Amino acid sequence: MAMPLRQSIKVATYLAEQKLRKRDKFPLIVELEPLFACNLKCEGCGKIQHPAGVLKQRMPVAQAVGAVLESGAPMVSIAGGEPLMHPQIDEIVRQLVAKRKYVFLCTNAMLLRKKMDKFTPSPYFAFAVHIDGLRERHDESVAKEGVFDEAVAAIKEAKRRGFRVTTNSTFFNTDTPQTIIEVLNFLNDDLKVDEMMISPAYAYEKAPDQEHFLGVEQTRELFKKAFSGGNRLRWRLNHSPLFLDFLEGKVDFPCTAWAIPNYSLFGWQRPCYLMSDGYVPTYRELVEKTDWDKYGRGKDPRCANCMAHCGYEPTAVLATMGSLKESLRAMRETVSGNRN
C-alpha cells in the first residue's frame, strides 16, 4: 500500500477517534459528484444517461464543500462526469484542501493540461487519472482514439509541475492477467505515478455495455494470477493488503457501503454510487434511515458479482485496524511502497 505516511497517520487517527466515540457507522471517504456531464462516452459508465437538463447542472461550491464537511470524512474523491468541466472545480478543491481534507480529483485527463494552472500542488491534493489499459485497450474502453496519449502527456506534465498523480484502472472480463500486468507495470515503472487504484468492473445498470462485467470467481482468478511473482509488493497500489487479499479470494468480507457514501446533485445516494435506491438530504439520514443489512452479496441480487472498492475496501481497512498483525503488515507495505 503506497498511501503517504502523513495521510496514513491521519486516517488511522480518525478511525481511532470513531472507535473512542463508539460510532459504528462513519465515512472514510466521500464520493463527490458535482456534475454528471462528461466529454467521453465510456462503455462501462452510465452517468451521462441522465436527461439533458440534469447534465447541464453544476453543484454550487458551498453545497459541495458543505456536504463533505457535514460528513466529517478525512478524504474526498471528486468524480462525475468529468469534474474539470465544472467552472468552479478549482475553488471546490481549494476550499477542501484549506480544511485539510485529502482530495483526489478523478479525471479522464482530456482537459487536464488546459486546466492545470488553476490548481496548486499540495500534499493534500492529487489528480486521479482514469487509465484502463495501454493505448489500444484504453481508447477502446472510452470509445475515442487519442485519449490514452493525452492522458499520458497530462500525467507527465502534472508530475513535472510537482503534483501528486494517482491512477484508477477498471478491469473487465476482456482483460487477462497479462493486460493487467502490462498497464500496471507501465504506470508504476514508466510513468512513476504516486499510487494506483484498481477495481473489477461492476455491472452498473445504466452502462451501455452490459456484456463484459466480471463475476466473483472470474475476479478472484484474474487478480490471483496478476498479483503473482511479487507484483503486489512491487506496485504502488493504493489499497490495504486485506482488500488485495479479498480480490484474490483469500478472504471474504461483508459490504460496508456507508463508509464511502456518494453525494451528487440529487443528494446522498443510497446505498452507494453504483446502485440508486433513492436520495436523502443529509449524511446522518443516509446512515440512520437506510437498511444496510439488506445489501451485499447473498442479500441483494444486484450485489451478486460486486467486489468494488466502495463496498469492500472500508471493510478491509476496519479489519486491519482491529488486528495488530494486520496493522503491522499494512505499515510495512506502506513504508515499502513509498520507497519504490
Side-chain angles (χ1 to χ4, degrees):
M1 184 172 67
M3 182 184 292
L5 187 58
R6 179 189 300 182
Q7 184 179 345
S8 298
I9 292 172
K10 180 165 183 174
V11 172
T13 301
Y14 170 79
L15 292 173
E17 289 174 354
Q18 307 313 305
K19 186 174 182 179
L20 286 173
R21 294 178 182 181
K22 297 183 179 180
R23 292 177 177 168
D24 61 347
K25 291 183 176 62
F26 46 85
L28 186 61
I29 181 170
V30 170
E31 294 274 359
L32 177 67
E33 294 179 324
L35 80 172
F36 292 128
C38 190
N39 49 3
L40 292 177
K41 298 179 180 179
C42 301
E43 294 296 321
C45 176
K47 296 295 182 179
I48 61 171
Q49 304 303 314
H50 288 291
V54 173
L55 293 179
K56 292 179 181 179
Q57 294 179 32
R58 305 292 184 262
M59 186 181 293
V61 173
Q63 182 182 346
V65 175
V68 176
L69 297 182
E70 174 213 344
S71 75
M75 300 180 288
V76 54
S77 173
I78 305 178
E82 171 50 57
L84 288 178
M85 293 175 65
H86 193 296
Q88 295 174 293
I89 189 61
D90 55 318
E91 183 60 18
I92 293 175
V93 169
R94 189 192 68 77
Q95 291 194 24
L96 289 171
V97 167
K99 296 293 184 181
R100 295 183 179 272
K101 302 295 182 182
Y102 284 92
V103 180
F104 298 86
L105 194 155
C106 303
T107 176
N108 58 41
M110 292 295 289
L111 297 172
L112 183 50
R113 286 197 287 177
K114 295 178 182 179
K115 303 280 188 176
M116 206 175 295
D117 287 339
K118 291 177 172 285
F119 302 91
T120 303
S122 166
Y124 288 94
F125 175 66
F127 291 114
V129 180
H130 195 92
I131 299 287
D132 279 350
L134 296 181
R135 181 180 291 108
E136 181 178 353
R137 196 166 198 81
H138 180 70
D139 286 355
E140 180 182 8
S141 74
V142 301
K144 187 174 182 178
E145 292 185 4
V147 176
F148 177 83
D149 288 339
E150 178 58 33
V152 168
I155 290 172
K156 289 180 178 179
E157 178 62 13
K159 292 285 292 179
R160 187 188 70 79
R161 295 195 192 188
F163 287 98
R164 289 185 63 230
V165 180
T166 69
T167 55
N168 182 8
S169 301
T170 304
F171 298 112
F172 296 81
N173 65 12
T174 49
D175 277 292
T176 66
Q178 189 57 35
T179 63
I180 293 176
I181 290 169
E182 287 172 356
V183 69
L184 294 184
N185 277 346
F186 175 73
L187 296 173
N188 191 85
D189 303 336
D190 297 331
L191 286 186
K192 300 186 185 302
V193 300
D194 294 279
E195 302 165 3
M196 300 177 292
M197 189 170 74
I198 57 178
S199 183
Y202 170 79
Y204 188 70
E205 62 182 0
K206 292 183 179 180
D209 181 0
Q210 291 289 320
E211 298 180 3
H212 297 121
F213 293 109
L214 287 160
V216 171
E217 292 307 317
Q218 285 179 301
T219 296
R220 290 170 174 167
E221 190 64 21
L222 186 64
F223 285 106
K224 185 184 300 180
K225 291 179 179 178
F227 289 160
S228 64
N231 284 330
R232 265 183 58 166
L233 292 176
R234 187 173 61 80
W235 290 330
R236 291 182 296 279
L237 297 173
N238 187 20
H239 294 289
S240 64
L242 278 178
F243 179 72
L244 299 178
D245 287 348
F246 169 76
L247 289 182
E248 288 193 63
K250 293 179 178 179
V251 296
D252 202 7
F253 292 123
C255 174
T256 49
W258 45 262
I260 305 187
N262 173 272
Y263 185 78
S264 71
L265 294 165
F266 301 140
W268 294 97
Q269 183 171 324
R270 103 179 5 131
C272 65
Y273 83 97
L274 293 169
M275 290 167 52
S276 180
D277 285 354
Y279 300 84
V280 294
T282 67
Y283 177 72
R284 182 172 181 177
E285 187 174 348
L286 174 74
V287 169
E288 295 180 355
K289 296 188 177 181
T290 301
D291 184 2
W292 299 103
D293 290 337
K294 72 178 185 180
Y295 296 107
R297 284 185 285 113
K299 298 177 180 179
D300 188 313
R302 295 172 297 176
C303 304
N305 289 313
C306 180
M307 294 183 72
H309 67 277
C310 64
Y312 297 98
E313 178 76 82
T315 325
V317 170
L318 294 173
T320 298
M321 292 297 296
S323 165
L324 177 59
K325 177 182 176 182
E326 292 299 335
S327 295
L328 292 173
R329 177 189 177 199
M331 189 179 302
R332 286 195 301 270
E333 293 195 16
T334 295
V335 173
S336 175
N338 282 291
R339 286 176 178 171
N340 290 338

